[in-house]
Amino acid sequence: MCGIVGYAGNIDTACGKPLEVCLQGLNRLEYRGYDSAGVALSAPGMDQVVVRKKAGRLKNLIDDIERRPLPDATVAIGHTRWATNGEPSDVNAHPHTSRDGKVAIIHNGIIENASQLRLDLQAEGYRFASATDTEVAAKLLGKIVDKVIAENGGKPDLFEAMRRMARMLEGAFTILATDCRQPDIVVGARHDSPLVVGLGDGENFLGSDVAAFVAYTKRAMEIDQDQAVCVSADTVTVTDFDGNVIANPKTYTVDWDASAAEKGGWDSFMDKEIHEDPAAVQRTLLGRFDANGDIMLDEVRIDEHDFKAIDKIIVVACGTASYAGQVAKYAIEHWVRIPVEIELAHEFRYRDPILTPRTLVVAISQSGETMDTLMALRHAREQGSKVLAICNTQGASIPRESDAVLYTHAGPEVAVASTKAFVAQITAAYLLGLYLAQVKGAMFRDEIHQVLDSLKDMPRKIQWVLDTQASTIQSAAEHTVNANSFLFLGRHVGYPVALEGALKLKEIAYTFTEGFAAGELKHGPIALVDEGEPVVFIVPPERGRNVLHAKVISGIEEVKARGATIIAVAEQGDPDVERYADVVFWRPQCPTLMSPLVDVVPLQLFAMDMAKLKGYDVDKPRNLAKSVTVE
Ligand code: M6R
C-alpha cells in the first residue's frame, strides 16, 4: 500500500541527488498511498540521520523542504504512506528512527507481532512517539545495530542487523533502512511485500515498484520472498535472511518509459488511462499470433499437454480484476466447454476449494502485488494445481510465484481506479480461452479466427465510443450529479460490466451505488426504485437474436413505470432503447461476447465526470490505495 524508494550514490560526493531521486520517486509512487510522506538522508559526518516528514500529500513535504532546505547526502530513503497502524499524521508518518536517531527506516506492510515487540522494548525502557508498528521496528533495528556493533568491535553492520530483525518480524513487510554511520549503503528486506532494485551506473536504487526509479534506469533486479538487499553506488548484494548470498538474482529491462507514467497533458491520470483503453487492447494482442494467425502463447510456459488436460478453471482476483474474470467466464465456458469458477481471492482459501492437478487457477491482477490474490495462488499451488497469472506488472510477486504468466500490455496504470487494465485483462483472458479451445480442439480453426477478428476490431470500436459519446456522458453526469444513489443492471456479460460501472462510481464519486444482475430486479432491488432514481442498464447487443435483449428491455419498462431515470448503454440505433431510455450511451455493433470491452468505457467516463463535477481528486480517491499489499 505504501510507496518506498531508496537511493545510494557516490560516497565521495554528498549532493542533492539522493533527495531529488526520492522526491521524484515518491511523486510517481504516490498512487500507492497519500496520507503522508517523508524522507531520511545520510552523509559522511552526520551525527544522526536527517529526517523530514509531513502529513497529507507529498506536496506538503516538498513545500516544507523548500521552506527549510535539507543538507546534501550520499544516500536517502523516501516513503509515501497509506495508513494501517495509526492515523495519518506528522508523527505517524515514516521514516521512523532508532532511539539514538542514527538509524531510520521506512516500511510497507503490517508487522503482526508489533504489539508484543513494543511491550518487550517498553520493558527495557524504550519510549514510543507514534502508534505505528514501523516505529517498533525502528527501535528494534537500532537496538540490534548496537548489539552488532558491540559484537564487531565497534564496526557497524546495518545489513546484518536488518537480517536479524527480519527473522524476528511476523506479518508482511518491505523495510528499507539507512544508518548515518554507514552513509554509503541502503539496506532492505522483504516478506510478502514488494521490493525491486534499479541498477544504475555509479548509483543504485530501490523501490516498491519500478516506477520509483524508471526516470533514471530501466534495468531492474528482482528481490525474492524472504531476501535482504544492500545497495551502494557500485554494488548490489542479495542474501536470504540467514546471510547466504543469492548468486544470480534475476534482472530484466523495464518495457515502458517514464513518460508512460506521466499525465502528458491530460487533466488526470484516469482521463489519460481511459483514453488508452483502445491501445491497451491492441498491445495485449500484439505478438500473440504465428504466421498462420493461430494463437501462440510462448511466454506462458505451460506444456500444451498440460493445457489439454485442464478440466476446470478457477479465476481468483479482487475488485475490477475479478469482474474481468467474470466476463471471461461467459466466454471461456462457451468456447472451451469446461467449467470456470470465479472466486474473490480473499474468500478462496477459506472455503476449502476443490483443486486437482487438472484445475488451472488463473490469478488476475493489474499490480501483481495484491496480497489476497497472492495468498490464493499460493494455496492453489500447495494443493497441486497450476497457476497462470494475468498481470500488468513485469516481475511482480504474482507472476513470479505463478507457474505461468500472460502479461497484459496496458502500460503503467497510475490512477487508483482501474480502467485500461480491465479491458486488457478481458483481452488476455479471451486469448487464454481461445488458446485452450485451439489446443483442446473445442472449436473449429475458422471459428477461432472469426472470434479473433472481432477481438482485433475492438480497439477501433472503443475509440468510436471515446470520440462520439463524451458529451452525452458529460451531460448525463451533470443531470444526475445530485442523485443519492444509483443502480447498475446487466445480464450475461453485461452483469459484470454493471458491477464494474457501479464500483467506479463508488470509488471515485463516493456515490452509493449497487450493481445487480438485471434478472434479480424483481427479487428485491426494485423496491429501491423511486421517482427520479437513476438506473443504468447494460442492454445486450444483437437485438432479435439475443433472447436476453427483450428481457432487459422488460426490466427497463418495469423501472420506468416506477418513475426511474433510465441511462442505457446500448447498440447504436436500438429502437427499443430509444423508446424508453432518458439517456443512451451508444456502442457500435459488435458480438455479445465482445460488448464488455466497449460497454465499460462510457461507465468509466461517467464516473470520472461525476467525480470531477463533485470536485474530487479522481486519481487519488479517499481511503484507497492502488495496490493492496496487505490482507
Ligand atoms: O492490482 P489488482 O488488479 O490485483 O487490484 C485488484 C483491486 O484491488 C483493484 O481492481 C481495485 O478494485 C481497483 N481500485 C478498482 O478500480
Side-chain angles (χ1 to χ4, degrees), residues 4-206:
I4 278 183
V5 56
Y7 175 85
N10 192 333
I11 186 67
D12 301 322
T13 349
C15 62
K17 180 131 188 215
L19 178 63
E20 174 209 302
V21 170
C22 279
L23 295 180
Q24 260 265 10
L26 292 182
N27 187 31
R28 286 179 200 282
L29 293 177
E30 218 190 354
Y31 69 88
R32 298 179 73 96
Y34 29 87
D35 292 336
S36 57
V39 291
L41 310 169
S42 292
M46 280 182 183
D47 203 32
Q48 288 190 319
V49 173
V50 174
V51 172
R52 184 72 57 79
K53 51 189 188 174
K54 280 308 249 182
R57 297 280 165 92
L58 175 63
K59 189 169 179 318
N60 293 357
L61 175 70
I62 293 173
D63 288 349
D64 191 68
I65 293 173
E66 271 165 17
R67 274 195 304 276
R68 296 182 299 135
L70 288 166
D72 285 343
T74 44
V75 303
I77 55 177
H79 188 265
T80 175
R81 179 168 186 246
W82 186 86
T84 48
N85 284 41
E87 70 196 14
S89 65
D90 283 358
V91 75
N92 286 337
H94 302 202
H96 289 276
T97 53
S98 57
R99 186 157 63 175
D100 58 10
K102 292 188 185 298
V103 177
I105 75 163
I106 51 176
H107 164 224
N108 175 33
I110 296 179
I111 298 167
E112 285 166 4
N113 57 341
S115 307
Q116 186 56 49
L117 292 169
R118 181 187 286 259
L119 288 174
D120 295 347
L121 288 164
Q122 277 169 336
E124 293 174 38
Y126 282 81
R127 291 183 189 288
F128 294 88
S130 79
T132 64
D133 51 352
T134 307
E135 193 189 0
V136 175
K139 299 285 185 285
L140 179 63
L141 185 62
K143 179 182 150 184
I144 301 172
V145 165
D146 290 346
K147 187 160 187 286
V148 172
I149 289 175
E151 286 168 10
N152 285 357
K155 195 164 164 266
D157 186 349
L158 184 62
F159 197 19
E160 170 58 16
M162 175 62 90
R163 283 190 296 255
R164 286 192 197 178
M165 179 175 73
R167 296 200 293 265
M168 295 171 69
L169 300 181
E170 289 165 18
F173 55 85
T174 298
I175 294 176
L176 295 192
T178 173
D179 181 333
C180 64
R181 288 158 293 195
Q182 290 184 278
D184 56 333
I185 58 166
V186 174
V187 307
R190 63 153 290 205
H191 174 79
D192 282 347
S193 175
L195 178 61
V196 54
V197 179
L199 303 167
D201 289 324
E203 56 185 3
N204 285 305
F205 308 80
L206 290 159

Side-chain angles (χ1 to χ4, degrees), residues 373-598:
T373 310
L374 188 61
M375 290 303 186
L377 84 82
R378 284 184 188 163
H379 179 77
R381 294 193 74 200
E382 277 161 23
Q383 302 296 309
S385 293
K386 287 244 183 307
V387 176
L388 181 143
I390 291 180
C391 184
N392 197 41
T393 312
Q394 265 178 302
S397 303
I398 289 172
R400 274 214 316 272
E401 294 198 27
S402 298
D403 298 284
V405 57
L406 192 54
Y407 279 114
T408 48
H409 294 293
E413 195 181 64
V414 177
V416 165
S418 196
T419 54
K420 61 178 177 172
F422 179 72
V423 291
Q425 285 160 348
I426 294 173
T427 306
Y430 277 16
L431 277 175
L432 174 67
L434 292 167
Y435 180 70
L436 274 168
Q438 187 176 288
V439 297
K440 280 173 159 288
M443 285 165 85
F444 292 116
R445 188 164 175 267
D446 284 359
E447 281 178 300
I448 296 176
H449 280 229
Q450 214 175 356
V451 178
L452 286 173
D453 287 344
S454 311
L455 190 54
K456 288 175 188 166
D457 206 20
M458 293 317 287
R460 191 176 60 82
K461 300 196 172 186
I462 300 173
Q463 191 60 52
W464 182 89
V465 173
L466 291 168
D467 292 344
T468 64
Q469 302 300 294
S471 60
T472 312
I473 296 165
Q474 170 73 29
S475 71
E478 283 163 13
H479 278 96
T480 52
V481 69
N482 293 320
N484 288 328
S485 60
F486 276 78
L487 292 181
F488 280 67
L489 301 165
R491 295 195 70 151
H492 191 259
V493 285
Y495 169 38
V497 171
L499 296 177
E500 172 60 5
L503 176 64
K504 289 286 92 84
L505 206 54
K506 277 176 212 174
E507 64 180 342
I508 60 165
Y510 317 147
T511 307
F512 189 85
T513 309
E514 278 305 333
F516 292 102
E520 198 60 14
L521 197 57
K522 291 192 285 291
H523 300 282
I526 199 163
L528 294 168
V529 176
D530 205 352
E531 194 68 32
E533 168 83 13
V535 184
V536 181
F537 277 91
I538 317 299
V539 184
E542 303 184 279
R543 177 177 178 268
R545 281 188 293 141
N546 185 338
V547 285
L548 288 176
H549 180 276
K551 296 198 187 300
V552 172
I553 297 295
S554 302
I556 293 182
E557 287 181 72
E558 282 156 17
V559 296
K560 182 81 182 165
R562 285 157 180 87
T565 300
I566 309 293
I567 300 174
V569 180
E571 190 157 285
Q572 235 182 328
D574 184 325
D576 299 325
V577 174
E578 265 174 340
R579 190 168 325 127
Y580 297 114
D582 297 283
V583 184
V584 189
F585 305 152
W586 294 117
R587 87 164 77 80
Q589 277 191 354
C590 65
T592 300
L593 287 175
M594 297 298 144
S595 60
L597 290 167
V598 270

Side-chain angles (χ1 to χ4, degrees), residues 224-432:
D224 261 323
Q225 176 74 333
D226 294 338
Q227 289 183 349
V229 59
C230 176
V231 299
S232 70
D234 303 308
T235 59
V236 177
T237 311
V238 183
T239 69
D240 62 19
F241 287 169
D242 292 322
N244 301 304
V245 174
I246 309 298
N248 290 308
K250 196 169 166 224
T251 58
Y252 60 96
T253 304
V254 181
D255 65 0
W256 50 272
D257 289 318
S259 61
E262 278 158 16
K263 278 193 207 153
W266 291 92
D267 197 38
S268 61
F269 279 107
M270 186 174 182
D271 211 348
K272 175 185 178 234
E273 287 161 8
I274 294 172
H275 285 83
E276 288 172 348
D277 280 341
V281 173
Q282 200 161 32
R283 284 202 301 257
T284 300
L285 290 171
L286 215 67
R288 256 88 196 230
F289 306 99
D290 67 15
N292 302 316
D294 294 330
I295 303 172
M296 174 189 74
L297 300 180
D298 286 352
E299 81 223 71
V300 158
R301 306 189 306 254
I302 292 184
D303 204 51
E304 210 172 290
H305 177 77
D306 288 338
F307 262 123
K308 277 193 184 138
I310 289 164
D311 62 4
K312 182 171 78 171
I313 291 178
I314 304 181
V315 177
V316 290
C318 301
T320 293
S322 78
Y323 300 143
Q326 212 168 323
V327 169
K329 170 188 165 74
Y330 290 91
I332 298 175
E333 287 189 339
H334 178 67
W335 293 330
V336 194
R337 307 307 298 155
I338 58 171
V340 180
E341 294 172 16
I342 307 296
E343 185 80 44
L344 288 169
H346 35 88
E347 290 295 314
F348 180 67
R349 65 193 169 121
Y350 302 106
R351 72 158 168 103
D352 197 10
I354 300 165
L355 292 158
T356 74
R358 299 181 68 182
T359 308
L360 178 68
V361 172
V362 178
I364 306 182
S365 174
Q366 187 287 128
S367 62
E369 297 295 350
T370 301
M371 182 56 71
D372 293 316
T373 310
L374 188 61
M375 290 303 186
L377 84 82
R378 284 184 188 163
H379 179 77
R381 294 193 74 200
E382 277 161 23
Q383 302 296 309
S385 293
K386 287 244 183 307
V387 176
L388 181 143
I390 291 180
C391 184
N392 197 41
T393 312
Q394 265 178 302
S397 303
I398 289 172
R400 274 214 316 272
E401 294 198 27
S402 298
D403 298 284
V405 57
L406 192 54
Y407 279 114
T408 48
H409 294 293
E413 195 181 64
V414 177
V416 165
S418 196
T419 54
K420 61 178 177 172
F422 179 72
V423 291
Q425 285 160 348
I426 294 173
T427 306
Y430 277 16
L431 277 175
L432 174 67

